[in-house]
C-alpha cells in the first residue's frame, strides 16, 4: 500500500513564511545599504558632504560653523582642520586643528559621547553676539552629553575682549545625563591673569552633591570683560553636605569690596538662596538710590525635566521685585519702587 502524500500547508502558513523571508531580505538589504553609506561617508567625498551640511546649518541664534577639511575617520579619531565659528557679526573664533575621539553611533540613543577633544591652538577674536531664542526652552539640552577630556593648550584671546591680547589654557570634563551632572573645568590666563576652577558633581542615586567655584580675575581681566566690568573680581562658592542636604556660601568681591554674600542650600533637587547684594557702592544716581544701602535676596527653585522653575525676590528700602516662572526666558516680574523708577538704565518698575 502506497503511503499517502502529506497535505499541502495551509495558505496562511505559506503567506507567513513568504512574509518572514521578505522581512529578512529587507533587513539584509538595509544592513548592506547602511554599511555602504557608512563606508561612503568615511571617504574624502563623504567628509566634504558632512562639512557642507554643517556649514548649511542656520540656527536662529545666528551661529554658523565652517570646517575646512575632515581627516582621519569620522567613526573614531577625527581631525577637523580650519574650524571657524561665526555669529551674525562675522568670525569670532577659530582653530587650525581640533582632534576628536568620539562615538557617533551613540547619537542614535540621543547621546553625545566625546572621549577626547584636543586643540593645541584656538583663537577667540571677540565675544560672540548670538541672537536670543524667541521661544523659551529647557535650561539643559534634551540629550545626554559625555566629554571625557577637554583640552585647549593655548587659547589666544583677542584685543577686542579685554583691551590687550591674552593667552589662556583650558582643561576639563563633563557628564550630563539622567541621574548625573558632572562638570569639572579649569582655566588659567597666563602672566598673572584670571584663574578659574569649577566643580559640580551631583548624583542623586549616590546621594552626592559637590559644588566648588573659585574665580580670581584682575582689573580689566577676561572674566570681567565677559561680565561687563573692568574691576578685579574674587568669587568663591563652597559648601558641605550631600544631595539630601547641602549647605554652602557664595561670596563676591569687586575691587576688594564685598558685593554679594549669599547662603545656599540644596535638598533633594530643591535649591534656595538668601543673603544680600551691595551694588550701590559702585553706582551713582537712580541706580544707587534704588539699591542702597543693600538689596536683600531670597530665592528658591527646582530643576525637573531639564526645566528650571522658581521664585526670586529682591528688596531694598526703595525697591520690591518678585520674579517667578519657568526658566529665565519665561520669568514674569512684578515690582514696586520708592524714589527711583529705573534700574540699570532700563525701566524696572512704576512709582507707587
Amino acid at each position: 500500500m502506497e503511503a499517502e502524500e502529506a497535505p499541502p500547508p495551509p495558505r496562511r502558513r505559506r503567506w507567513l513564511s513568504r512574509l518572514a523571508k521578505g522581512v529578512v531580505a529587507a533587513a539584509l538589504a538595509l544592513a548592506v545599504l547602511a554599511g555602504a553609506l557608512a563606508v561612503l561617508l568615511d571617504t574624502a567625498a563623504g567628509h566634504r558632504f558632512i562639512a557642507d551640511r554643517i556649514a548649511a546649518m542656520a540656527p536662529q541664534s545666528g551661529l554658523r560653523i565652517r570646517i575646512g577639511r575632515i581627516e582621519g575617520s569620522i567613526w573614531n579619531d577625527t581631525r577637523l582642520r580650519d574650524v571657524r565659528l561665526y555669529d551674525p557679526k562675522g568670525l569670532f573664533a577659530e582653530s587650525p586643528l581640533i582632534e576628536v575621539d568620539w562615538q557617533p553611533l551613540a547619537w542614535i540613543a540621543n547621546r553625545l559621547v566625546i572621549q577626547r577633544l584636543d586643540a593645541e591652538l584656538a583663537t577667540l577674536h571677540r565675544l560672540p553676539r548670538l541672537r536670543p531664542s524667541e521661544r523659551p526652552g529647557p535650561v539643559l539640552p534634551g540629550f545626554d552629553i559625555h566629554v571625557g577630556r577637554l583640552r585647549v593648550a593655548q587659547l589666544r584671546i583677542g584685543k577686542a575682549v579685554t583691551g590687550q591680547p591674552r593667552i589662556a589654557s583650558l582643561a576639563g570634563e563633563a557628564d550630563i545625563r539622567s541621574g548625573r551632572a558632572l562638570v569639572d573645568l579649569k582655566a588659567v590666563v597666563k602672566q598673572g591673569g584670571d584663574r578659574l576652577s569649577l566643580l559640580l558633581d551631583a548624583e542623586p542615586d549616590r546621594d552626592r552633591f559637590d559644588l566648588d567655584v573659585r574665580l580670581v580675575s584682575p582689573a580689566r581681566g577676561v572674566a570681567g570683560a565677559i561680565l561687563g566690568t573692568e574691576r578685579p573680581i574674587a568669587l568663591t562658592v563652597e559648601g558641605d553636605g550631600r544631595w539630601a542636604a547641602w549647605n554652602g556660601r557664595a561670596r563676591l568681591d569687586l575691587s576688594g569690596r564685598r558685593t554679594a554674600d549669599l547662603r545656599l542650600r540644596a535638598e533633594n533637587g530643591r535649591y534656595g538662596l538668601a543673603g544680600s547684594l551691595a551694588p550701590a557702592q559702585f553706582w551713582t544716581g537712580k541706580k544707587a538710590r534704588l539699591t542702597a544701602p543693600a538689596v536683600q535676596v531670597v530665592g528658591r527653585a527646582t530643576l525637573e525635566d531639564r526645566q528650571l522653575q522658581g521664585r526670586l525676590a529682591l528688596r531694598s528700602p526703595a525697591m520690591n521685585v518678585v520674579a517667578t516662572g519657568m526658566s529665565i526666558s519665561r520669568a514674569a516680574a512684578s515690582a514696586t519702587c520708592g524714589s527711583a523708577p529705573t534700574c540699570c538704565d532700563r525701566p524696572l518698575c512704576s512709582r507707587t
Side-chain angles (χ1 to χ4, degrees), residues 198-255:
L198 184 153
L199 172 65
L200 168 64
D201 190 356
E203 193 171 4
D205 290 344
R206 299 178 62 183
D207 197 19
R208 173 184 294 176
F209 187 87
D210 191 7
L211 176 62
D212 191 278
V213 180
R214 299 181 187 275
L215 170 66
V216 176
S217 178
R220 294 178 295 278
V222 176
I226 295 174
L227 298 175
T229 179
E230 294 185 350
R231 298 179 181 276
I233 299 172
L235 170 68
T236 61
V237 180
E238 56 188 351
D240 293 305
R242 58 194 192 281
W243 177 258
W246 181 90
N247 293 287
R249 196 145 196 164
R251 297 183 178 90
L252 172 65
D253 292 346
L254 295 178
S255 298

Side-chain angles (χ1 to χ4, degrees), residues 128-150:
R129 297 182 179 180
L130 301 176
R131 290 189 290 262
S133 174
E134 296 180 356
R135 295 184 302 174
V139 175
L140 297 177
F143 52 88
D144 295 343
I145 299 175
H146 173 80
V147 181
R149 173 189 171 187
L150 166 67

